[in-house]
Amino acid sequence: MEVIFMQKVLAYLNSKNKKRQPAKRLNEEQITRQAEKMYAQVVEDLYNKLHTQVKANRFTPAEKWIQFINQNEVLDGLEESMIELEL
């Protein structure tokens, strides 16, 4: 999932960066940081959505999370979403 997301986001950010004025273009490190922030936001949003569905807190055992993720095919759905992602 992360690989697919990062490939698409980096391509998008690099394309966007090429349209900037040469003096205002970002370097690779800055683009990578932006992509990593975007990925972190996606993961945080996913956690928040799952958190409410699992009805979890910090003491919730991992098995409850795993069971929910497996029963609802969360990873398959997430992978499909990343493949279909268009920026």
Side-chain angles (χ1 to χ4, degrees), residues 25-54:
R25 288 189 183 146
L26 305 174
N27 63 40
E28 274 188 57
E29 187 177 309
Q30 291 170 313
I31 291 173
T32 301
R33 266 191 263 125
Q34 278 189 353
E36 288 169 349
K37 285 180 185 178
M38 291 172 77
Y39 180 72
Q41 185 63 51
V42 166
V43 171
E44 184 177 335
D45 292 346
L46 175 62
Y47 170 79
N48 288 333
K49 287 179 184 177
L50 290 177
H51 179 265
T52 59
Q53 296 297 315
V54 176

Side-chain angles (χ1 to χ4, degrees), residues 15-29:
S15 172
K16 189 175 161 184
N17 195 41
K18 287 179 183 176
K19 295 176 184 175
R20 290 189 172 117
Q21 296 290 329
K24 294 188 178 197
R25 288 189 183 146
L26 305 174
N27 63 40
E28 274 188 57
E29 187 177 309

